[in-house]
């Protein structure tokens, strides 16, 4: 079975990336992770990827222009042979050049039920609004932040007395399941046409 090659971009602990890596170990998974790259060379997720035998790349964006930094990351991604990108807690806005080059082949996970609560502090905003549910969404990345077509979502009940951290912890479990399932389905559809 031909597997699609995926590069995962992270900025921190990389638990969603880890979930994508574990899911890819199933023989019938439609993708494999060929690179984990980060804008923080000390991101803990890079250690995890190295331990799993995956190529890694870490380079600080500090003091660099956005497009200049994205070109460096892009060169590594091209070198890895990746055909898709999965953003997983990548806390950098992307340059328009980078986004257009990967149009339709770059996904992101966002911890809200989009189109609600784009950007940061999603759990706090959902609780403050009195919502019955938070959740997470996987979407195609477009030029607008957290705005591209949604490919899948999971609702997560908000419990009375939930703090943003409580809700974030439960939502993360949902994220880990949703992301690998949606990514695998998306690339399979692309492979099989
Ligand atoms: C996740 O909640 C993700 O949805 C958000 O940032 C967090 C990253 O966590 N974009 P991790 O690095 O995957 O553990």
């Amino acid at each position: 079975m031909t597997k699609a090659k995926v590069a995962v971009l992270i900025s921190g602990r990389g638990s969603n990336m880890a979930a994508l890596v574990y899911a890819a170990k199933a023989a019938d998974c439609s993708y494999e992770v060929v690179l984990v790259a980060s804008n923080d060379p000390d991101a803990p997720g890079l250690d995890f990827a190295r331990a799993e035998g995956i190529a890694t790349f870490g380079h600080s964006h500090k003091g660099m222009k956005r497009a200049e930094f994205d070109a460096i990351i892009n060169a590594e991604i091209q070198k890895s042979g990746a055909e898709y990108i999965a953003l997983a807690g990548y806390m950098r806005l992307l340059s328009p050049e980078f986004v257009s080059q990967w149009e339709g082949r770059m996904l992101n996970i966002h911890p809200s039920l989009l189109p609600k609560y784009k950007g940061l502090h999603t759990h706090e905003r959902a609780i403050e609004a009195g919502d019955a549910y938070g959740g997470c969404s996987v979407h195609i990345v477009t030029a607008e932040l957290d705005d591209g077509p949604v490919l899948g979502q999971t609702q997560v009940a908000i419990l009375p007395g939930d703090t943003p951290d409580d809700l974030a912890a439960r939502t993360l479990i949902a994220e880990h399941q949703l992301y690998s399932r949606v990514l695998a389905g998306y690339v399979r559809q692309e492979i099989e046409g």
Side-chain angles (χ1 to χ4, degrees):
M1 174 186 174
T2 317
K3 290 179 182 259
K5 293 179 167 47
V6 175
V8 185
L9 303 191
I10 64 167
S11 293
R13 73 189 156 180
S15 72
N16 275 288
M17 175 273 295
L20 293 179
V21 167
Y22 289 139
K25 292 187 180 200
D28 64 349
C29 185
S30 56
Y31 71 86
E32 61 180 320
V33 177
V34 294
L35 175 72
V36 175
S38 178
N39 61 315
D40 176 0
D42 298 322
L46 292 175
D47 291 332
F48 165 86
R50 275 191 283 268
E52 288 292 343
I54 298 167
T56 60
F57 179 73
H59 195 297
S60 173
H61 61 271
K62 289 187 185 138
M64 294 182 79
K65 291 214 170 74
R66 196 173 300 285
E68 195 187 338
F69 178 73
D70 285 357
I72 290 174
I73 292 277
N74 203 20
E76 286 302 313
I77 295 171
Q78 301 290 358
K79 245 197 304 185
S80 75
E83 302 149 291
Y84 295 89
I85 295 176
L87 303 180
Y90 190 60
M91 303 304 284
R92 288 279 301 156
L93 293 175
L94 299 165
S95 58
E97 295 88 339
F98 188 88
V99 174
S100 67
Q101 183 165 347
W102 288 95
E103 205 180 323
R105 294 181 296 139
M106 178 158 57
L107 306 189
N108 181 41
I109 180 121
H110 182 74
S112 79
L113 296 173
L114 290 172
K116 278 187 158 182
Y117 313 127
K118 296 173 182 175
L120 298 174
H121 310 300
T122 55
H123 304 301
E124 198 178 317
R125 287 152 71 199
I127 290 168
E128 269 172 18
D131 292 355
Y133 290 94
C136 50
S137 308
V138 174
H139 66 96
I140 297 177
V141 177
T142 56
E144 283 296 305
L145 180 70
D146 302 327
D147 193 59
V150 172
L151 300 173
Q153 292 184 313
T154 303
Q155 287 190 341
V156 175
I158 297 179
L159 308 182
D162 258 354
T163 65
D165 284 351
D166 295 333
L167 181 57
R170 287 201 310 285
T171 306
L172 197 60
I173 300 170
E175 290 180 40
H176 294 166
Q177 298 183 358
L178 180 73
Y179 208 177
S180 53
R181 178 161 52 80
V182 170
L183 175 64
Y186 187 73
V187 305
R188 175 170 292 121
Q189 207 178 30
E190 295 255 313
I191 291 167
E192 292 171 359

